[in-house]
Amino acid sequence: DVKVTQSSRYLVKRTGEKVFLECVQDMDHENMFWYRQDPGLGLRLIYFSYDVKMKEKGDIPEGYSVSREKKERFSLILESASTNQTSMYLCASSLDGTDFNSPLHFGNGTRLTVT
Amino acid sequence: EDQVTQSPEALRLQEGESSSLNCSYTVSGLRGLFWYRQDPGKGPEFLFTLYSAGEEKEKERLKATLTKKESFLHITAPKPEDSATYLCAVHLGEYGNKLVFGAGTILRVKS
């Protein structure tokens, strides 16, 4: 089974702190994604990566950056955390961007609270 | 603008009471429609992919159907363990498997 592991289930950070959210997948997937999930808004794509050192902006990249130095690891960085970044963050991976049969596999999420 | 709308927002059913969840979309270049199930405190879990109008997929008590404008997730004789949030997402066909998600339907099945 594909496993996507997010390093923290819960995080509490202060406004202005730099925050790192880590995600690791164990199935040699090409694509990795970061979403945030807020009530009533669904999942919104922040950034995605289709190869090592490659990244693409999603729909809401402002205030975030990402890093993919190794294929299995995709990090989300909040440069200066703000209260409006309080949310559930979900990491996902999929096998191949050209294979439309390839579903996303999600981690269990990191609930981030910024105070 | 590409949009995905799910209805109802929440649905309460008695055990055994069949019903349907709706996912309507206004997107150009639809390449596929996905259904996911999400349990509290967990990430979404993949259920189905549908690619063309008229297609149907089944898994246990769930059946997903697709038309040119919407998809339905039919739940036949639901059980309490079917309680979850059901998410619909459309694949826009851009490289990287980018999905646009609806806000979800929260389903509660009471025994």
Side-chain angles (χ1 to χ4, degrees), chain A residues 9 31 33 35 37 40-43 45 48 50 59 90 94 96-104 106-108, chain B residues 31 34 36 38 41-46 49 51 85 87 91 93-104:
Chain A
R9 290 301 306 272
N31 302 321
F33 306 80
Y35 286 87
Q37 185 175 30
L41 295 178
L43 276 73
L45 182 62
F48 66 101
Y50 53 85
D59 300 315
L90 289 163
S94 69
D96 182 344
T98 61
D99 176 5
F100 299 134
N101 290 321
S102 180
L104 266 61
F106 285 88
N108 281 331
Chain B
R31 294 300 188 96
F34 294 74
Y36 287 84
Q38 186 174 23
K42 300 248 178 112
E45 180 185 341
F46 170 71
T49 310
Y51 293 104
T85 298
L87 300 170
H91 188 302
E94 298 166 29
Y95 185 78
N97 230 354
K98 181 180 173 183
L99 300 181
V100 176
F101 281 83

Side-chain angles (χ1 to χ4, degrees), chain B residues 66-81:
Chain B
L66 182 65
T67 72
K68 287 187 178 179
K69 294 289 185 187
E70 59 192 347
S71 176
F72 292 94
L73 186 64
H74 307 278
I75 304 176
T76 302
K79 298 183 177 181
E81 53 263 42

Side-chain angles (χ1 to χ4, degrees), chain B residues 2-109:
Chain B
D2 299 320
Q3 264 197 318
V4 180
T5 304
Q6 291 188 247
S7 61
E9 290 183 13
L11 181 62
R12 289 190 177 190
L13 299 174
Q14 287 295 125
E15 185 172 2
E17 179 187 1
S18 301
S19 188
S20 296
L21 312 183
N22 177 263
C23 172
S24 63
Y25 56 90
T26 53
V27 299
S28 56
L30 176 74
R31 294 300 188 96
L33 186 142
F34 294 74
W35 283 98
Y36 287 84
R37 169 192 170 127
Q38 186 174 23
D39 292 301
K42 300 248 178 112
E45 180 185 341
F46 170 71
L47 291 173
F48 304 110
T49 310
L50 302 166
Y51 293 104
S52 56
E55 188 175 1
E56 298 182 352
K57 293 265 179 82
E58 285 191 67
K59 181 178 180 179
E60 296 180 358
R61 295 176 292 282
L62 300 177
K63 183 167 94 172
T65 61
L66 182 65
T67 72
K68 287 187 178 179
K69 294 289 185 187
E70 59 192 347
S71 176
F72 292 94
L73 186 64
H74 307 278
I75 304 176
T76 302
K79 298 183 177 181
E81 53 263 42
D82 294 321
S83 297
T85 298
Y86 290 86
L87 300 170
C88 163
V90 296
H91 188 302
L92 300 181
E94 298 166 29
Y95 185 78
N97 230 354
K98 181 180 173 183
L99 300 181
V100 176
F101 281 83
T105 294
I106 301 170
L107 174 66
R108 293 289 176 259
V109 181

